[in-house]
Amino acid sequence: MKIKTVLKVFAMFACLAVATPAMAFDLAKTVSGAVKVTQAVTLTDEQMAQYVREYVDWMDKNNKVCDSKSPYTIRLNKLTKGFKSVEGIPLNFKVYYVKDVNAFACADGSVRVFSSLMDIMSDEELLGVIGHELGHVAHKDSKESFRRALLTSALKDGLTAKGGKAAALTNSQLGELGEALIHASYSQSQERAADDYGYDFLKKSGKNPWAMSYSFQKLKKMEEEAGAKPSNGLQQLFSTHPDLDERITRMQSRAEKDGIKKPNTAKK
């Protein structure tokens, strides 16, 4: 289980799929395109929505999705019961049965949680992760991150379009898009705003918002377990995002001010 991967959860959850798909990228396919990048910048909202759907569908096809009878699916469905939408964006949840420890959420409201992440997190910690990332979806951070990744990776050589409909991406383009998303990040103000949205969302949904603090405590513990010499990935993550102690304190202070008791911390 890779500590580096665990600690990327919050930085890359906005449609940042880091699982290696079960089917390798078809690098033999060529990247097609006749329209220049300057024209690609004018992607419409509908074209963007099409690309997001295409990417999520591709990930669902290339990773093992737990069926409705899986303990992972049952657990996630129980945790997210009542999570219908954020700011008018309908939500849908699935679990990937993969060894990678991570998860991702997309601008279209698709949330994918990896089984190995569920193995190491309590219910409260998972709810904190989900709540935070739904904040990025609600604030359109996910949408803009996806747009930037498209224009700097998959569509860097242009795209073809007929009648205003965006061209389908090839496997190699989807692979390039995934790589760009892995290296995407949010500003400190965006992260704090997502923290606050997650807190409010969980509270309104009848969940205990102490989950936000618990999730950051988990990440802090994983950071400490990484040792005195963290990888370059860890250094990059913790130098560009709000300090975990600060985030823990902020969320704890909100819960205490609201008079909310700490939940029972049953692991699963």
PDB file of all heavy atoms in Angstrom, residues 10 125 210-224 244 247-249 252 262:
ATOM      1  N   PHE A  10      -6.629  14.074  -1.413  1.00  0.00           N
ATOM      2  CA  PHE A  10      -7.278  15.377  -1.407  1.00  0.00           C
ATOM      3  C   PHE A  10      -6.806  16.249  -2.549  1.00  0.00           C
ATOM      4  O   PHE A  10      -7.559  17.064  -3.054  1.00  0.00           O
ATOM      5  CB  PHE A  10      -7.027  16.092  -0.078  1.00  0.00           C
ATOM      6  CG  PHE A  10      -7.923  15.594   0.996  1.00  0.00           C
ATOM      7  CD1 PHE A  10      -7.514  14.591   1.844  1.00  0.00           C
ATOM      8  CD2 PHE A  10      -9.196  16.105   1.141  1.00  0.00           C
ATOM      9  CE1 PHE A  10      -8.345  14.115   2.821  1.00  0.00           C
ATOM     10  CE2 PHE A  10     -10.039  15.633   2.116  1.00  0.00           C
ATOM     11  CZ  PHE A  10      -9.616  14.634   2.968  1.00  0.00           C
ATOM     12  N   GLU A 125     -13.836   8.926   8.327  1.00  0.00           N
ATOM     13  CA  GLU A 125     -12.744   9.407   7.480  1.00  0.00           C
ATOM     14  C   GLU A 125     -13.151   9.421   6.010  1.00  0.00           C
ATOM     15  O   GLU A 125     -12.854  10.372   5.280  1.00  0.00           O
ATOM     16  CB  GLU A 125     -11.504   8.534   7.702  1.00  0.00           C
ATOM     17  CG  GLU A 125     -10.885   8.726   9.081  1.00  0.00           C
ATOM     18  CD  GLU A 125      -9.958   7.594   9.499  1.00  0.00           C
ATOM     19  OE1 GLU A 125      -9.877   6.575   8.767  1.00  0.00           O
ATOM     20  OE2 GLU A 125      -9.326   7.716  10.563  1.00  0.00           O
ATOM     21  N   TRP A 210     -17.882  16.211  12.173  1.00  0.00           N
ATOM     22  CA  TRP A 210     -16.561  15.914  12.721  1.00  0.00           C
ATOM     23  C   TRP A 210     -15.771  15.056  11.736  1.00  0.00           C
ATOM     24  O   TRP A 210     -14.548  14.960  11.821  1.00  0.00           O
ATOM     25  CB  TRP A 210     -16.699  15.168  14.054  1.00  0.00           C
ATOM     26  CG  TRP A 210     -16.821  16.049  15.257  1.00  0.00           C
ATOM     27  CD1 TRP A 210     -17.979  16.464  15.863  1.00  0.00           C
ATOM     28  CD2 TRP A 210     -15.754  16.624  16.007  1.00  0.00           C
ATOM     29  NE1 TRP A 210     -17.698  17.260  16.945  1.00  0.00           N
ATOM     30  CE2 TRP A 210     -16.337  17.378  17.065  1.00  0.00           C
ATOM     31  CE3 TRP A 210     -14.370  16.576  15.907  1.00  0.00           C
ATOM     32  CZ2 TRP A 210     -15.574  18.075  18.001  1.00  0.00           C
ATOM     33  CZ3 TRP A 210     -13.606  17.277  16.839  1.00  0.00           C
ATOM     34  CH2 TRP A 210     -14.203  18.020  17.869  1.00  0.00           C
ATOM     35  N   ALA A 211     -16.467  14.447  10.796  1.00  0.00           N
ATOM     36  CA  ALA A 211     -15.810  13.606   9.792  1.00  0.00           C
ATOM     37  C   ALA A 211     -14.725  14.372   9.045  1.00  0.00           C
ATOM     38  O   ALA A 211     -13.700  13.797   8.655  1.00  0.00           O
ATOM     39  CB  ALA A 211     -16.847  13.066   8.802  1.00  0.00           C
ATOM     40  N   MET A 212     -14.933  15.674   8.831  1.00  0.00           N
ATOM     41  CA  MET A 212     -13.938  16.472   8.121  1.00  0.00           C
ATOM     42  C   MET A 212     -12.620  16.481   8.880  1.00  0.00           C
ATOM     43  O   MET A 212     -11.549  16.248   8.314  1.00  0.00           O
ATOM     44  CB  MET A 212     -14.449  17.902   7.919  1.00  0.00           C
ATOM     45  CG  MET A 212     -15.711  18.015   7.081  1.00  0.00           C
ATOM     46  SD  MET A 212     -15.513  17.364   5.401  1.00  0.00           S
ATOM     47  CE  MET A 212     -14.211  18.422   4.779  1.00  0.00           C
ATOM     48  N   SER A 213     -12.690  16.738  10.168  1.00  0.00           N
ATOM     49  CA  SER A 213     -11.483  16.754  10.991  1.00  0.00           C
ATOM     50  C   SER A 213     -10.833  15.378  11.033  1.00  0.00           C
ATOM     51  O   SER A 213      -9.611  15.242  10.940  1.00  0.00           O
ATOM     52  CB  SER A 213     -11.827  17.202  12.417  1.00  0.00           C
ATOM     53  OG  SER A 213     -10.692  17.130  13.254  1.00  0.00           O
ATOM     54  N   TYR A 214     -11.654  14.342  11.148  1.00  0.00           N
ATOM     55  CA  TYR A 214     -11.128  12.979  11.223  1.00  0.00           C
ATOM     56  C   TYR A 214     -10.357  12.603   9.954  1.00  0.00           C
ATOM     57  O   TYR A 214      -9.331  11.927  10.009  1.00  0.00           O
ATOM     58  CB  TYR A 214     -12.261  11.978  11.454  1.00  0.00           C
ATOM     59  CG  TYR A 214     -12.800  11.955  12.871  1.00  0.00           C
ATOM     60  CD1 TYR A 214     -12.453  12.938  13.792  1.00  0.00           C
ATOM     61  CD2 TYR A 214     -13.674  10.965  13.287  1.00  0.00           C
ATOM     62  CE1 TYR A 214     -12.947  12.922  15.086  1.00  0.00           C
ATOM     63  CE2 TYR A 214     -14.178  10.942  14.587  1.00  0.00           C
ATOM     64  CZ  TYR A 214     -13.805  11.929  15.478  1.00  0.00           C
ATOM     65  OH  TYR A 214     -14.299  11.904  16.754  1.00  0.00           O
ATOM     66  N   SER A 215     -10.872  13.038   8.811  1.00  0.00           N
ATOM     67  CA  SER A 215     -10.198  12.681   7.553  1.00  0.00           C
ATOM     68  C   SER A 215      -8.828  13.344   7.476  1.00  0.00           C
ATOM     69  O   SER A 215      -7.852  12.737   7.020  1.00  0.00           O
ATOM     70  CB  SER A 215     -11.053  13.077   6.353  1.00  0.00           C
ATOM     71  OG  SER A 215     -11.281  14.473   6.335  1.00  0.00           O
ATOM     72  N   PHE A 216      -8.715  14.596   7.939  1.00  0.00           N
ATOM     73  CA  PHE A 216      -7.425  15.279   7.922  1.00  0.00           C
ATOM     74  C   PHE A 216      -6.461  14.677   8.941  1.00  0.00           C
ATOM     75  O   PHE A 216      -5.251  14.621   8.709  1.00  0.00           O
ATOM     76  CB  PHE A 216      -7.614  16.772   8.182  1.00  0.00           C
ATOM     77  CG  PHE A 216      -8.396  17.473   7.112  1.00  0.00           C
ATOM     78  CD1 PHE A 216      -9.445  18.325   7.427  1.00  0.00           C
ATOM     79  CD2 PHE A 216      -8.098  17.279   5.771  1.00  0.00           C
ATOM     80  CE1 PHE A 216     -10.175  18.958   6.442  1.00  0.00           C
ATOM     81  CE2 PHE A 216      -8.826  17.906   4.776  1.00  0.00           C
ATOM     82  CZ  PHE A 216      -9.868  18.745   5.108  1.00  0.00           C
ATOM     83  N   GLN A 217      -7.008  14.235  10.064  1.00  0.00           N
ATOM     84  CA  GLN A 217      -6.167  13.571  11.051  1.00  0.00           C
ATOM     85  C   GLN A 217      -5.565  12.293  10.463  1.00  0.00           C
ATOM     86  O   GLN A 217      -4.406  11.962  10.722  1.00  0.00           O
ATOM     87  CB  GLN A 217      -6.982  13.247  12.303  1.00  0.00           C
ATOM     88  CG  GLN A 217      -7.366  14.463  13.125  1.00  0.00           C
ATOM     89  CD  GLN A 217      -8.212  14.093  14.331  1.00  0.00           C
ATOM     90  OE1 GLN A 217      -7.945  13.104  15.023  1.00  0.00           O
ATOM     91  NE2 GLN A 217      -9.260  14.859  14.585  1.00  0.00           N
ATOM     92  N   LYS A 218      -6.376  11.602   9.668  1.00  0.00           N
ATOM     93  CA  LYS A 218      -5.884  10.379   9.026  1.00  0.00           C
ATOM     94  C   LYS A 218      -4.742  10.699   8.067  1.00  0.00           C
ATOM     95  O   LYS A 218      -3.708  10.016   8.053  1.00  0.00           O
ATOM     96  CB  LYS A 218      -7.026   9.701   8.266  1.00  0.00           C
ATOM     97  CG  LYS A 218      -6.624   8.422   7.535  1.00  0.00           C
ATOM     98  CD  LYS A 218      -6.280   7.321   8.524  1.00  0.00           C
ATOM     99  CE  LYS A 218      -6.114   5.981   7.818  1.00  0.00           C
ATOM    100  NZ  LYS A 218      -5.921   4.879   8.772  1.00  0.00           N
ATOM    101  N   LEU A 219      -4.915  11.750   7.262  1.00  0.00           N
ATOM    102  CA  LEU A 219      -3.863  12.124   6.326  1.00  0.00           C
ATOM    103  C   LEU A 219      -2.601  12.565   7.053  1.00  0.00           C
ATOM    104  O   LEU A 219      -1.486  12.277   6.615  1.00  0.00           O
ATOM    105  CB  LEU A 219      -4.359  13.236   5.398  1.00  0.00           C
ATOM    106  CG  LEU A 219      -5.407  12.829   4.365  1.00  0.00           C
ATOM    107  CD1 LEU A 219      -5.774  14.022   3.496  1.00  0.00           C
ATOM    108  CD2 LEU A 219      -4.907  11.693   3.500  1.00  0.00           C
ATOM    109  N   LYS A 220      -2.767  13.267   8.175  1.00  0.00           N
ATOM    110  CA  LYS A 220      -1.603  13.697   8.959  1.00  0.00           C
ATOM    111  C   LYS A 220      -0.838  12.478   9.481  1.00  0.00           C
ATOM    112  O   LYS A 220       0.397  12.439   9.458  1.00  0.00           O
ATOM    113  CB  LYS A 220      -2.055  14.568  10.127  1.00  0.00           C
ATOM    114  CG  LYS A 220      -0.906  15.046  11.010  1.00  0.00           C
ATOM    115  CD  LYS A 220      -1.406  15.959  12.101  1.00  0.00           C
ATOM    116  CE  LYS A 220      -0.287  16.296  13.083  1.00  0.00           C
ATOM    117  NZ  LYS A 220       0.864  16.972  12.438  1.00  0.00           N
ATOM    118  N   LYS A 221      -1.591  11.485   9.941  1.00  0.00           N
ATOM    119  CA  LYS A 221      -0.961  10.270  10.430  1.00  0.00           C
ATOM    120  C   LYS A 221      -0.178   9.576   9.326  1.00  0.00           C
ATOM    121  O   LYS A 221       0.947   9.114   9.528  1.00  0.00           O
ATOM    122  CB  LYS A 221      -2.026   9.313  10.989  1.00  0.00           C
ATOM    123  CG  LYS A 221      -1.457   8.012  11.516  1.00  0.00           C
ATOM    124  CD  LYS A 221      -2.566   7.115  12.054  1.00  0.00           C
ATOM    125  CE  LYS A 221      -2.002   5.788  12.563  1.00  0.00           C
ATOM    126  NZ  LYS A 221      -3.082   4.889  13.059  1.00  0.00           N
ATOM    127  N   MET A 222      -0.769   9.528   8.130  1.00  0.00           N
ATOM    128  CA  MET A 222      -0.090   8.900   7.006  1.00  0.00           C
ATOM    129  C   MET A 222       1.150   9.689   6.612  1.00  0.00           C
ATOM    130  O   MET A 222       2.176   9.121   6.227  1.00  0.00           O
ATOM    131  CB  MET A 222      -1.044   8.780   5.808  1.00  0.00           C
ATOM    132  CG  MET A 222      -2.297   7.975   6.075  1.00  0.00           C
ATOM    133  SD  MET A 222      -1.977   6.327   6.755  1.00  0.00           S
ATOM    134  CE  MET A 222      -1.185   5.541   5.346  1.00  0.00           C
ATOM    135  N   GLU A 223       1.074  11.022   6.724  1.00  0.00           N
ATOM    136  CA  GLU A 223       2.236  11.848   6.432  1.00  0.00           C
ATOM    137  C   GLU A 223       3.370  11.539   7.405  1.00  0.00           C
ATOM    138  O   GLU A 223       4.529  11.390   7.012  1.00  0.00           O
ATOM    139  CB  GLU A 223       1.873  13.335   6.527  1.00  0.00           C
ATOM    140  CG  GLU A 223       3.062  14.253   6.294  1.00  0.00           C
ATOM    141  CD  GLU A 223       2.762  15.697   6.644  1.00  0.00           C
ATOM    142  OE1 GLU A 223       1.816  15.935   7.426  1.00  0.00           O
ATOM    143  OE2 GLU A 223       3.473  16.581   6.169  1.00  0.00           O
ATOM    144  N   GLU A 224       3.029  11.423   8.672  1.00  0.00           N
ATOM    145  CA  GLU A 224       4.033  11.131   9.687  1.00  0.00           C
ATOM    146  C   GLU A 224       4.663   9.755   9.480  1.00  0.00           C
ATOM    147  O   GLU A 224       5.862   9.559   9.680  1.00  0.00           O
ATOM    148  CB  GLU A 224       3.395  11.222  11.072  1.00  0.00           C
ATOM    149  CG  GLU A 224       2.984  12.639  11.456  1.00  0.00           C
ATOM    150  CD  GLU A 224       2.167  12.685  12.722  1.00  0.00           C
ATOM    151  OE1 GLU A 224       1.686  11.606  13.156  1.00  0.00           O
ATOM    152  OE2 GLU A 224       1.995  13.787  13.281  1.00  0.00           O
ATOM    153  N   LEU A 244      -2.118  20.744   7.366  1.00  0.00           N
ATOM    154  CA  LEU A 244      -3.108  19.814   7.894  1.00  0.00           C
ATOM    155  C   LEU A 244      -3.518  20.155   9.320  1.00  0.00           C
ATOM    156  O   LEU A 244      -4.689  20.021   9.682  1.00  0.00           O
ATOM    157  CB  LEU A 244      -2.569  18.382   7.816  1.00  0.00           C
ATOM    158  CG  LEU A 244      -2.575  17.737   6.425  1.00  0.00           C
ATOM    159  CD1 LEU A 244      -1.904  16.383   6.469  1.00  0.00           C
ATOM    160  CD2 LEU A 244      -3.999  17.604   5.900  1.00  0.00           C
ATOM    161  N   ARG A 247      -6.103  22.783   9.124  1.00  0.00           N
ATOM    162  CA  ARG A 247      -7.391  22.289   8.643  1.00  0.00           C
ATOM    163  C   ARG A 247      -8.099  21.475   9.725  1.00  0.00           C
ATOM    164  O   ARG A 247      -9.332  21.554   9.877  1.00  0.00           O
ATOM    165  CB  ARG A 247      -7.180  21.449   7.373  1.00  0.00           C
ATOM    166  CG  ARG A 247      -6.558  22.262   6.253  1.00  0.00           C
ATOM    167  CD  ARG A 247      -6.105  21.403   5.095  1.00  0.00           C
ATOM    168  NE  ARG A 247      -7.187  21.156   4.158  1.00  0.00           N
ATOM    169  CZ  ARG A 247      -7.012  20.508   3.001  1.00  0.00           C
ATOM    170  NH1 ARG A 247      -5.824  20.043   2.666  1.00  0.00           N
ATOM    171  NH2 ARG A 247      -8.032  20.336   2.187  1.00  0.00           N
ATOM    172  N   ILE A 248      -7.329  20.690  10.456  1.00  0.00           N
ATOM    173  CA  ILE A 248      -7.904  19.921  11.563  1.00  0.00           C
ATOM    174  C   ILE A 248      -8.514  20.868  12.592  1.00  0.00           C
ATOM    175  O   ILE A 248      -9.659  20.691  13.034  1.00  0.00           O
ATOM    176  CB  ILE A 248      -6.827  19.044  12.229  1.00  0.00           C
ATOM    177  CG1 ILE A 248      -6.385  17.923  11.275  1.00  0.00           C
ATOM    178  CG2 ILE A 248      -7.352  18.438  13.538  1.00  0.00           C
ATOM    179  CD1 ILE A 248      -5.147  17.177  11.736  1.00  0.00           C
ATOM    180  N   THR A 249      -7.758  21.901  12.962  1.00  0.00           N
ATOM    181  CA  THR A 249      -8.210  22.866  13.964  1.00  0.00           C
ATOM    182  C   THR A 249      -9.451  23.617  13.495  1.00  0.00           C
ATOM    183  O   THR A 249     -10.413  23.812  14.262  1.00  0.00           O
ATOM    184  CB  THR A 249      -7.101  23.874  14.289  1.00  0.00           C
ATOM    185  OG1 THR A 249      -5.965  23.169  14.816  1.00  0.00           O
ATOM    186  CG2 THR A 249      -7.577  24.901  15.313  1.00  0.00           C
ATOM    187  N   GLN A 252     -12.454  21.238  13.646  1.00  0.00           N
ATOM    188  CA  GLN A 252     -12.794  20.953  15.040  1.00  0.00           C
ATOM    189  C   GLN A 252     -13.488  22.151  15.676  1.00  0.00           C
ATOM    190  O   GLN A 252     -14.491  21.996  16.392  1.00  0.00           O
ATOM    191  CB  GLN A 252     -11.527  20.611  15.830  1.00  0.00           C
ATOM    192  CG  GLN A 252     -10.972  19.232  15.561  1.00  0.00           C
ATOM    193  CD  GLN A 252      -9.742  18.934  16.399  1.00  0.00           C
ATOM    194  OE1 GLN A 252      -9.106  19.845  16.947  1.00  0.00           O
ATOM    195  NE2 GLN A 252      -9.387  17.671  16.503  1.00  0.00           N
ATOM    196  N   LYS A 262     -18.647  14.454  19.218  1.00  0.00           N
ATOM    197  CA  LYS A 262     -17.845  13.565  18.380  1.00  0.00           C
ATOM    198  C   LYS A 262     -18.596  12.261  18.157  1.00  0.00           C
ATOM    199  O   LYS A 262     -19.270  11.761  19.072  1.00  0.00           O
ATOM    200  CB  LYS A 262     -16.499  13.273  19.043  1.00  0.00           C
ATOM    201  CG  LYS A 262     -15.577  14.479  19.141  1.00  0.00           C
ATOM    202  CD  LYS A 262     -14.240  14.072  19.767  1.00  0.00           C
ATOM    203  CE  LYS A 262     -13.301  15.271  19.845  1.00  0.00           C
ATOM    204  NZ  LYS A 262     -11.989  14.893  20.440  1.00  0.00           N
TER     205      LYS A 262
END
